[in-house]
Amino acid sequence: MNGMHKTVSNLTQNQPMDLFVDLDGTLIAGDIAEEALFRATSNPKAFVAAIRAFYQDGLAGLKRSLTTTDAPDLTTFPYRKDVLSYIRQARAEGRRVILATAADLTVAEKVADHLGLFDAVLGSEPGRNLKGPEKLLAIRELAQGPFEYLGDSTADIPVWQAAAKSGFVNPSRAALREMARSPETVSLHVEREMSAGTALLKAMRPHQWAKNVLVFVPILFAHEYANPEMLLAGVLTFLSFSLCASAVYIVNDIADIQADRKHATKHKRPFAAGHLSIRQGLVAAAVLLGGAILASFLIVNILFGLVLTGYAILTTAYTFWLKRFSTVDVVALSLLYTVRILAGSAATYLAPSPWLLSYSLFFFLSLAYMKRFIELDGMQAKRDNEKLPSRNYYASEVQLVMTFGIANGALSILTLAQY
């Protein structure tokens, strides 16, 4: 296939129109460089190398550095079925199909090799970022005559304007306006599978907010459930915690994109499926987290604000570091649940019982082990060396995990009985 990327046959006058296809956002639902840059933030060496490459060779150098230090798993990308079908139809008609992308050339060639559908590849290299007018120049150098282009973003407008036929895949607003100007040249229009608002709401996981009713536990055990002031403080605490938790879910899903794509059900999550970009997710997470922290300090009280800030720090540490260590990760999860009870105490100034906190730690630790057991037991391959994606657990440990879960459940019952 590599030879096919570099060799271009002479075209005759009767040669069918060449089809040029963009990669990010068009062939795949996602952005390779964005994903690589986010992963580099948790790898200091890779991040420093990427910044150095950016100063030396610009955006193209940055992309090369990112994809060299952390190669993405091409087999799990969310390839768009409509675009793949269109490409196969074009090949059946005897047309040349060229992958033309601003992504790094080495990654683009690997994508082409994986799919086996392209006759040539155009991509960014250090010193040349193949985007917008620069991509159009590269296409004109390769195409001999009129060409067709499939793209998605505002940066593709110069290429569409020069193309004889234009395909629009999940187009941006500016791209839609461009499509409306020349409807007679539109060859393909693939609409968005899910609106950004719907995808964001799904990423926020409002169904998970039920966990935050734990903030009402101190009010319940103190028999203050008829006190309007306590109930108001509890409601404000619940809302603040829910917004903070949603921000955390978004960041966690972004960090777990590659692992989620390998999962039987999690591959449908908005970021793994490409319904939301990493940029959109980070902006939404920042707004949600900032609003939650601000509300906790200004509307509830300083003590609750400190607890919520501590929760945000702990859960961020879990997302980027703690979850990689077996046992440590489940302890962190149990703490994150228990912190919700502490948050309710902080918001209402009701001191929690040591017995309640002890029971909560053992009980939630048992649930965390149960979660890992379900994930291990549900793995399709039960080979002993099979590792749980993004977790430090192996298939051979499933019985051990189950034993720890049962033991901690028993300890929680014993604590309750002693109380």
Side-chain angles (χ1 to χ4, degrees):
M1 187 71 186
N2 287 331
M4 295 178 68
H5 298 167
K6 301 173 183 177
T7 303
V8 181
S9 59
N10 293 326
L11 299 177
T12 64
Q13 292 181 349
N14 297 325
Q15 183 73 26
M17 187 184 300
D18 289 341
L19 173 63
F20 290 84
V21 182
D22 184 33
L23 177 58
D24 294 322
T26 303
L27 181 62
I28 64 170
D31 190 296
I32 296 173
E34 272 191 7
E35 293 182 18
L37 182 60
F38 183 83
R39 290 195 301 272
T41 57
S42 59
N43 185 339
K45 290 184 179 180
F47 189 73
V48 171
I51 296 300
R52 187 181 299 115
F54 175 73
Y55 280 109
Q56 291 176 348
D57 298 306
L59 282 175
L62 173 68
K63 295 173 184 177
R64 173 62 57 87
S65 176
L66 290 172
T67 53
T68 301
T69 55
D70 187 5
D73 187 351
L74 306 178
T75 62
T76 61
F77 277 163
Y79 294 97
R80 296 189 187 276
K81 295 180 181 179
D82 291 343
V83 177
L84 290 175
S85 298
Y86 193 80
I87 291 172
R88 291 189 179 99
Q89 180 183 345
R91 289 180 63 85
E93 295 170 355
R95 301 169 62 186
R96 281 197 317 160
V97 182
I98 300 96
L99 183 61
T101 174
D104 183 70
L105 178 62
T106 58
V107 173
E109 288 181 336
K110 290 177 181 178
V111 169
D113 287 335
H114 171 65
L115 294 175
L117 296 175
F118 297 96
D119 300 294
V121 174
L122 298 173
S124 296
E125 297 183 88
R128 188 185 190 189
N129 186 37
L130 223 64
K131 191 170 185 177
E134 195 66 30
K135 180 186 285 189
L136 176 59
L137 180 61
I139 289 175
R140 281 176 167 164
E141 291 173 356
L142 185 60
Q144 297 184 17
F147 65 89
E148 180 181 358
Y149 179 74
L150 306 185
D152 67 291
S153 68
T154 305
D156 294 320
I157 290 179
V159 187
W160 279 320
Q161 291 176 342
K165 291 289 184 179
S166 303
F168 296 81
V169 181
N170 189 21
S172 63
R173 291 182 180 179
L176 284 173
R177 290 194 293 270
E178 180 63 29
M179 184 177 70
R181 289 192 183 97
S182 304
E184 69 281 358
T185 66
V186 176
S187 57
L188 178 69
H189 180 201
V190 179
E191 296 182 348
R192 181 185 290 271
E193 296 180 14
M194 183 183 297
S195 68
T198 301
L200 179 58
L201 183 61
K202 186 177 179 180
M204 289 172 62
R205 303 188 209 173
H207 61 282
Q208 297 282 11
W209 291 357
K211 300 174 183 178
N212 300 325
V213 298
L214 288 170
V215 302
F216 292 100
V217 168
I219 298 176
L220 177 65
F221 285 0
H223 305 288
E224 294 287 348
Y225 35 78
N227 187 327
E229 292 184 3
M230 292 292 182
L231 289 177
L232 178 59
V235 170
L236 293 174
T237 302
F238 174 84
L239 293 175
S240 298
F241 225 101
S242 296
L243 293 179
C244 180
S246 288
V248 170
Y249 292 142
I250 289 173
V251 175
N252 184 72
D253 284 357
I254 293 174
D256 281 349
I257 281 180
Q258 292 201 104
D260 286 348
R261 286 173 179 164
K262 299 176 183 177
H263 196 273
T265 57
K266 293 180 181 179
H267 71 277
K268 297 179 181 179
R269 287 179 172 177
F271 296 103
H275 299 313
L276 275 180
S277 69
I278 290 179
R279 194 178 312 172
Q280 290 173 317
L282 292 178
V283 171
V287 172
L288 290 171
L289 181 60
I293 297 294
L294 191 63
S296 67
F297 278 103
L298 298 181
I299 301 178
V300 185
N301 60 52
I302 295 177
L303 184 58
F304 169 64
L306 293 174
V307 173
L308 188 62
T309 302
Y311 170 84
I313 294 173
L314 178 59
T315 193
T316 301
Y318 172 81
T319 296
F320 291 102
W321 183 48
L322 297 179
K323 70 180 180 182
R324 301 175 186 174
F325 303 94
S326 58
T327 304
V328 173
D329 69 324
V330 290
V331 172
L333 281 175
S334 66
L335 288 173
L336 290 173
Y337 279 98
T338 306
V339 165
R340 287 171 164 86
I341 299 176
L342 290 174
S345 297
T348 57
Y349 295 112
L350 296 172
S353 165
W355 289 98
L356 173 62
L357 296 180
S358 298
Y359 166 79
S360 300
L361 285 171
F362 286 126
F363 177 73
F364 292 126
L365 188 56
S366 176
L367 292 182
Y369 271 118
M370 183 177 69
K371 180 180 181 181
R372 291 291 173 263
F373 169 79
I374 293 173
E375 291 174 341
L376 287 170
D377 190 60
M379 292 171 65
Q380 293 181 353
K382 297 298 180 63
R383 298 188 301 271
D384 288 348
N385 61 342
E386 179 103 8
K387 186 178 180 182
L388 199 63
S390 297
R391 303 290 188 273
N392 194 30
Y393 293 88
Y394 293 84
S396 59
E397 299 172 337
V398 62
Q399 294 301 321
L400 185 63
V401 169
M402 181 180 67
T403 302
F404 284 154
I406 293 173
N408 281 280
L411 286 172
S412 68
I413 295 174
L414 179 61
T415 303
L416 183 62
Q418 288 181 327
Y419 171 72

